[in-house]
Amino acid sequence: MTVETPQRENLQGVGMMTASMAGFAINDAFMKLVLENVPFYQAIVLRGLAVTFMLVLIGLYLRKLDFRLSRRDGKLVLWRCVGEVGATYFFITALIHMPIANVTAVLQSLPLTVTLAGAVFMKEPLGWRRFSAIVAGFMGVLLIVRPGADFDVYALYALGAVACVTLRDLSSRRLPGHISTWTVSVFAAISVTLFGLVGSLFEPWEPVSASSFGLLAGATLCLIGAYVFSVSSMRTGTLAVVTPFRYTGILWAIILGVVVFGDWPDTLTIIGIIIVVGSGLVTLYREQVMLRRKIDSRVTRI
């Protein structure tokens, strides 16, 4: 392997991660537009059916689907699905009522909440540097949601989405490596679709116009593409190089918010975004340092 090979793979990984974040942001924009004309649960069901169908097709093609789970693994997948359903409900509700950049910015605190929850519930080590970054990151979130006179109650839904995704990611972290990502994703897609079906029993369905159908189709394709690029980026480039480019999602959200919805983030929101992103990058860097130390210590013992 030449020196250029890792560099080329890292560039490919960065490109895939950036494309993935663009896909997620465009999906969010499509859903925000769709929900202006299509009932909440109906939109979730229609998108969920399409996503489930496509994930199953891809999983079968790759031969990565195996739904035989042990009792322990089944419980972890169940908790992950609970987190996925909760995140979908809270995130989309917040997305309907808040600027897309603000909702996305709050979600950028996920590396901080996952690290903190891992330390509290899984006894993972947490040094003072990462703890300081977490505190700073949460201060950035406060600047975005601004509790007080300017507080938007739907910011609580965005925070609820963060809590649910944290539960989802912690459950994913405890899953053994032999369980396929595609299998877990199909379970999640099915659970979200079933949640939408139950919710749709309590609201009337409306005819879907050609434009809304096109937006839903676009949201589905972007969501699938984003997920495929995300998985591929993790397997192509070096983790320490590729992972920070998750934060390009906030750039895409700001651009879409301005161009599509005319939402300009104010000064405090921009400052909060910078603090959250900076804190997340520090946390990711320190995690890589800790990982290298563990690897070096194992090599020394050998």
Side-chain angles (χ1 to χ4, degrees), residues 91-240:
F91 178 79
I92 294 182
T93 302
L95 190 64
I96 295 172
H97 298 92
M98 293 176 63
I100 185 173
N102 292 41
V103 182
T104 305
V106 173
L107 285 182
Q108 302 308 304
S109 65
L110 275 171
L112 309 176
T113 59
V114 171
T115 299
L116 182 60
V120 173
F121 298 108
M122 300 174 66
K123 307 302 180 184
E124 295 181 353
L126 178 63
W128 68 268
R129 293 181 181 86
R130 284 194 295 168
F131 181 76
S132 299
I134 289 171
V135 173
F138 288 153
M139 291 176 65
V141 171
L142 288 176
L143 285 177
I144 297 169
V145 302
R146 287 199 284 279
D150 296 329
F151 180 66
D152 186 345
V153 67
Y154 288 103
L156 293 176
Y157 285 81
L159 293 173
V162 171
C164 289
V165 176
T166 301
L167 170 62
R168 183 197 70 185
D169 287 356
L170 285 180
S171 301
S172 301
R173 185 177 292 188
R174 301 187 66 182
L175 284 170
H178 69 269
I179 297 180
S180 167
T181 301
W182 299 103
T183 299
V184 177
S185 300
V186 169
F187 275 119
I190 291 173
S191 64
V192 171
T193 306
L194 290 176
F195 165 72
L197 284 171
V198 172
S200 68
L201 297 176
F202 303 95
E203 67 177 16
W205 279 50
E206 300 289 341
V208 180
S209 65
S211 60
S212 294
F213 183 81
L215 290 170
L216 277 170
T220 300
L221 292 174
C222 286
L223 191 60
I224 294 295
Y227 189 77
V228 171
F229 277 127
S230 178
V231 173
S232 299
S233 68
M234 291 290 97
R235 294 180 175 179
T236 301
T238 305
L239 193 64

Side-chain angles (χ1 to χ4, degrees), residues 5-26 182 221-239 241-249 252:
T5 302
Q7 294 176 348
R8 184 167 60 250
E9 290 179 350
N10 281 336
L11 286 175
Q12 291 174 350
V14 167
M16 290 177 182
M17 179 58 75
T18 304
S20 172
M21 295 302 103
F24 283 124
I26 296 171
W182 299 103
L221 292 174
C222 286
L223 191 60
I224 294 295
Y227 189 77
V228 171
F229 277 127
S230 178
V231 173
S232 299
S233 68
M234 291 290 97
R235 294 180 175 179
T236 301
T238 305
L239 193 64
V241 175
V242 174
T243 301
F245 282 84
R246 286 184 180 276
Y247 287 107
T248 57
W252 290 111

Side-chain angles (χ1 to χ4, degrees), residues 10 67 264:
N10 281 336
F67 298 108
W264 289 84

